[in-house]
């Protein structure tokens, strides 16, 4: 029985060595850990208003290259953009539905840095309804400082020039 156990042990040695070589030569095993942060500006907007999405990757090595940064709105892909050597990625989105949007910035990793992700939220509201145009005659700005309505109005207007006597007198 001793011989059989010795043979079984010797058969495991090449398998263990092969496993170690594959594990240590794999890019995923050599990649440094990374962390990602995400921001949206503004964090509250109206439908169609541009929202600037930014993400930063922190990694001891160069995070550029690879598959870049992918921005998601919930489960929907917005875009994949490059990551700079400083770890920055940016995308401008126009979100078209009312509600809270969970934005995920997913760094896809490279040979030097592992994948990581972060979330932020954006609240999208409906665009404000424009005011209705007022009826009647407007001075300065409709709906603004002075508004006249047509009706039975008696006004007196005096225009003075230098002296206290009226230059023009009008009754309406």
């Amino acid at each position: 029985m001793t011989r059989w156990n010795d043979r079984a042990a010797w058969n495991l040695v090449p398998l263990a060595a092969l496993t170690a070589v594959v594990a240590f030569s794999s890019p995923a095993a050599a990649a440094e850990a990374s962390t990602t942060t995400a921001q949206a500006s503004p964090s509250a907007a109206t439908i169609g208003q541009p929202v600037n999405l930014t993400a930063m990757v922190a990694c001891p090595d160069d995070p550029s290259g690879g598959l870049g940064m992918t921005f998601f709105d919930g489960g929907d892909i917005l875009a994949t953009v490059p990551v700079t050597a400083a770890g920055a990625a940016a995308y401008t989105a126009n979100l078209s539905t009312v509600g809270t949007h969970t934005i995920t910035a997913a760094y896809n990793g490279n040979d030097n840095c592992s994948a990581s992700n972060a979330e932020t939220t954006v609240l999208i509201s409906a665009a404000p309804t424009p005011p209705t145009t007022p009826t009647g005659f407007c001075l300065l700005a409709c709906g603004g400082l002075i508004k006249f309505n047509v009706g039975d109005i008696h006004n007196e207007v005096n225009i003075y020039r230098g002296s206290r006597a009226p230059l023009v007198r009008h009754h309406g």
Side-chain angles (χ1 to χ4, degrees), residues 73-131:
D73 178 7
D76 299 328
I77 294 177
L78 295 172
T80 299
V81 298
V83 175
T84 67
Y91 175 70
T92 300
N94 289 305
L95 304 172
S96 61
T97 57
V98 172
T100 300
H101 293 255
T102 300
I103 305 298
T104 303
Y107 172 61
N108 298 306
N110 65 15
D111 290 344
N112 304 320
C113 303
S114 65
S116 59
N117 63 66
E119 291 182 350
T120 188
T121 57
V122 178
L123 178 61
I124 300 295
S125 59
T129 306

Side-chain angles (χ1 to χ4, degrees), residues 52-168:
N52 297 314
L53 305 175
T54 56
M56 286 297 298
V57 177
C59 179
D61 212 330
D62 182 355
S64 64
L67 299 175
M69 182 78 65
T70 303
F71 289 97
F72 293 87
D73 178 7
D76 299 328
I77 294 177
L78 295 172
T80 299
V81 298
V83 175
T84 67
Y91 175 70
T92 300
N94 289 305
L95 304 172
S96 61
T97 57
V98 172
T100 300
H101 293 255
T102 300
I103 305 298
T104 303
Y107 172 61
N108 298 306
N110 65 15
D111 290 344
N112 304 320
C113 303
S114 65
S116 59
N117 63 66
E119 291 182 350
T120 188
T121 57
V122 178
L123 178 61
I124 300 295
S125 59
T129 306
T132 58
T133 304
T135 59
F137 174 70
C138 299
L139 284 181
L140 301 179
C142 290
L145 300 175
I146 302 171
K147 178 180 170 186
F148 294 96
N149 288 321
V150 178
D152 187 16
I153 299 173
H154 177 77
N155 292 318
E156 183 175 302
V157 177
N158 293 317
I159 300 175
Y160 296 92
R161 183 193 301 167
S163 67
R164 299 302 288 164
L167 178 64
V168 177

